[in-house]
Amino acid sequence: MSGVPEGEVLVRGSGPLLLGVRHHGPGSARAVRAALRAAAPRVVLIEGPPEADALIPLAADKEMRPPVALLAHVVDEPGRSAFWPLAEFSPEWVAIRWALDHGVPARFIDLPATHTLAWGREESLSGDPWEDRPSDRSEEGAEDLSGDSESPSHAVRIDPLGVLAETAGYDDPERWWEDVVEHRGGAGVGADPFAPFAVLEEAMGALREAFGAWGHDRDLVREAYMRLQVRAAQREFGDDVAVVCGAWHVPALRQKSTVGADRALLKGLPKAKADLTWVPWTHRRLARVSGYGAGIDSPGWYGHLFGAPDRPIERWMTKVARLLRDEDRSVSSAHVIEAVRLADTLAAMRGRPLPGLTETTDAVRAVMCEGSDVPLSLVRDQLVVGDVLGEVPESAPAVPLQRDLARLQRRLRLKPEALERELELDLRKETDAERSRLLHRLRLLSVEWGEPTASRGSTGTFRETWWLRWEPELSVRVAEAGVWGTTVLAAATAKAEADAVAAPSLADVTALAERCLLAELPDALPVVMRVLADRAALDADVGHLAQALPALVRSLRYGDVRGTDTHALTDVAAGLAERVFVGLPPACAALDAEAAEDMRRHVDAVHGAVGLLGETGTVSPDGPPPSAGIRGRWHSALRVLAGRDTVPGVIRGRAVRLLLDEGELAQDEAARLMGLVLSPGTAPGDAAAWIEGFVGGGSGGGMLLVHDERLLGMVDAWLAGVPAEAFTDVLPLLRRTFSAYEAGVRRTLGELVRRGPGARGSRAVATSGMPGFAPDLDLERADAVLPVLSLLLGLDESDDDNLVEAAR
């Protein structure tokens, strides 16, 4: 080999330089760097898909920042994909960068992705080859090592790293690896940088001999292909060839095999047209906790070990202290010093050359976290694992949809980030409205970058709150969505139209219509509305119609803020409402308790939808708004529900309450209906259900009872007269009803019941004879509220007179 420093003693055999590594191992990465520096090969061969050779130069781009991954997907089936993740401390990445920095060719030599993605379609391959196939997990994952290549499902699965650690007397493979590799400084320390690879090759050879020469059919094929690539490189460059691959494969690459035998194993492999590119990756996705089979427990810790120039423990403790201070915890320099001392002491007591993650974690818990695991969990999440998100250059190949998305992200200043963050949008601003449309369109494409949540401090339709977090898997979702179009708008439109046709229920179609409005897809809306009208005409289930109406009516509100034309929805919504009004009373007859409660929720939802439908109507100069007729017919339907004995009590009670709140039912009439239902002729269970419908369900019924002592007295008198044998059946229902009230309301009701009816002694009781009510409006008390009301509504003094008249 050329490039060997004068006087340095190197111990290595003839033939290619085989560097068996641990995927994502910083010790292996340092060892690879030292070995390549000492050997100076003319070509570097790396385990990975050969189709990505053209992408290797991008690793030197200044915009490329690991962790990143090679993404391969089937052109006609983007959901079939595979990843090859690389972190800064991955040996493969170090080998690539060394080759690029020294002008040496770098090539991938693993089985081509065209075979990897096509092989075993029935197994639904998705993920990355290092994860899905045990033999690719190298020292990290469970290995499939039976000698029966015909029956891989019966293979013996072992962890080579665990076997070596157990042989050395360790019960933790990670701790063993730290002691023998990470804490020894890798192969860069000492006279022979190749010795660690020779030792690891010997260990793997012994394991393969003991547990079988292979663990999976694919191992044989992949190793045969790699041997052919190594031979081809040797013919071109002689023995100045370095191979970086999983240590498990090194004995197979070293063994003697004929070209004919290797080619015979590759004959007849299935193929699929594949595209490859670089995509960003994250430390969190490298962690085993994420489900990545070739992952590591602590990517953030390993990244620190690889990047720290010296004194890694002291630097780590400083990072921890900074994080805890940012969380307003009191951590001083003295804490850092004591934590370092404790970690060193623990390492000495446990016979370790240097403190590892276990010792540093124990020291942080004892000194900086005062024995608590709560702040320690933050350290694990933010530092030990971490939220580092890689970046790839714009010049990297991408599907057209990905390029359009990247363009929109730049224009709208929405940078993909691994760390979850909150985004508040004001839809009255054009940029925020465009951001909202983009996020809603991506959700239609199953690219769940943002998740909408309830806005704090605002109930208006002009404000939205999102939680954003970019995961590497979303790159696959974007590739999958590419089949629908080349831009986000075109793809979302095509996907919405297809979803409308395939929607299983009427409620799904109405929800899709709402999402189309949120995403502003005017071309998709006619298709969705046509399907919606057809489904509504054929669906006779009132429950389905009632479930679909609220989402449809909500959609009508978005036209005001977003400037979307919603006239197409109005006729469908009105027709759907009419069908609900007609079909609801018969549908409410003879229901059991569970079905009655479901229908009660539908009644509430329809009532709210009718109110919103009224807000969307336009006022005619010659008459009332067109919504007045809809409201009137809904009130008629509620009256039918309230007076029909075959309707369950919970629905009748709710109908009476809704009519009372709308001013369509007088207080005396409501009291009369309650008196009838609480009479001895009504079964206690049905009476209790009526009360639950009237005052329960979070409808403000508690305040109604507080301010109307007539109703409270009737409920109290009825409850006192319930027979003992029926009381135990009634009590759970009533307890559920009243337990939903706020504590202050429950306390006030209890005091009123304890005092007895009419105990307030107010002027209202004396003058009207009705507890809680006066004969006329108290104008003096009402006027006292007007200044505060003016402030809330943003009115000036000139509007006060109008406000007074409106209040009266």
Side-chain angles (χ1 to χ4, degrees), residues 18-239:
L18 302 183
L19 305 178
V21 300
R22 180 189 190 189
H23 298 307
H24 317 310
S28 288
R30 287 193 301 269
V32 165
R33 185 166 54 191
L36 293 177
R37 185 185 300 120
R42 296 171 59 195
V43 64
V44 178
L45 308 181
I46 303 166
E47 183 180 339
E51 296 96 331
D53 284 352
L55 302 176
I56 289 178
L58 290 174
D61 194 294
K62 62 180 181 180
E63 296 182 2
M64 179 76 85
R65 295 183 179 89
V68 293
L70 287 168
L71 165 63
H73 66 86
V74 178
V75 173
D76 298 329
E77 195 178 349
R80 295 186 56 79
S81 58
F83 293 99
W84 285 262
L86 298 170
E88 184 179 11
F89 49 83
S90 297
E92 297 86 354
W93 179 260
V94 169
I96 290 173
R97 289 307 309 265
W98 184 92
L100 293 174
D101 292 343
H102 292 80
V104 173
R107 300 172 183 173
F108 288 116
I109 62 168
D110 203 351
L111 190 69
T114 184
H115 300 307
T116 302
L117 294 172
W119 199 342
R121 286 180 179 268
E122 69 280 358
E123 298 176 12
S124 299
L125 175 64
S126 179
D128 64 272
W130 293 340
E131 175 181 1
D132 290 331
R133 286 177 296 283
S135 58
D136 290 341
R137 298 177 189 169
S138 190
E139 297 82 9
E140 297 177 44
E143 297 284 353
D144 182 343
L145 301 178
S146 74
D148 182 7
S149 61
E150 298 297 326
S151 304
S153 60
H154 298 89
V156 178
R157 302 174 67 85
I158 69 163
D159 177 5
L161 191 65
V163 173
L164 295 176
E166 184 179 0
T167 303
Y170 284 75
D171 58 357
D172 183 0
E174 291 292 331
R175 191 167 73 249
W176 174 80
W177 181 262
E178 283 188 340
D179 284 353
V180 300
V181 176
E182 307 302 338
H183 295 164
R184 301 295 183 184
V189 178
D192 188 358
F194 309 122
F197 298 105
V199 172
L200 196 55
E201 178 181 348
E202 183 179 356
M204 290 299 160
L207 286 175
R208 291 181 72 118
E209 182 179 353
F211 293 98
W214 57 83
H216 199 289
D217 287 348
R218 296 186 185 182
D219 282 351
L220 295 174
V221 176
R222 294 177 59 235
E223 290 165 355
Y225 188 88
M226 284 191 275
R227 283 194 295 267
L228 291 175
Q229 299 307 303
V230 172
R231 290 192 189 98
Q234 284 182 286
R235 287 194 297 270
E236 185 177 357
F237 298 100
D239 281 345

Side-chain angles (χ1 to χ4, degrees), residues 421-487:
R421 66 185 180 96
E422 187 180 51
L423 178 66
E424 289 278 357
L425 299 178
D426 185 343
L427 301 181
R428 296 169 296 185
K429 301 177 180 178
E430 182 57 32
T431 299
D432 281 0
E434 287 193 56
R435 289 172 174 174
S436 173
R437 288 193 289 268
L438 173 62
L439 293 173
H440 280 294
R441 288 169 182 175
L442 291 176
R443 283 176 60 81
L444 275 169
L445 294 171
S446 299
V447 182
E448 303 287 343
W449 179 20
E451 180 180 353
T453 185
S455 296
R456 297 193 303 269
S458 175
T459 58
T461 58
F462 64 86
R463 187 171 297 278
E464 282 185 350
T465 302
W466 294 80
W467 282 102
L468 302 183
R469 182 170 186 165
W470 186 268
E471 297 285 356
E473 290 83 354
L474 296 180
S475 299
V476 179
R477 299 288 179 265
V478 174
E480 289 179 325
V483 301
W484 298 105
T486 58
T487 66

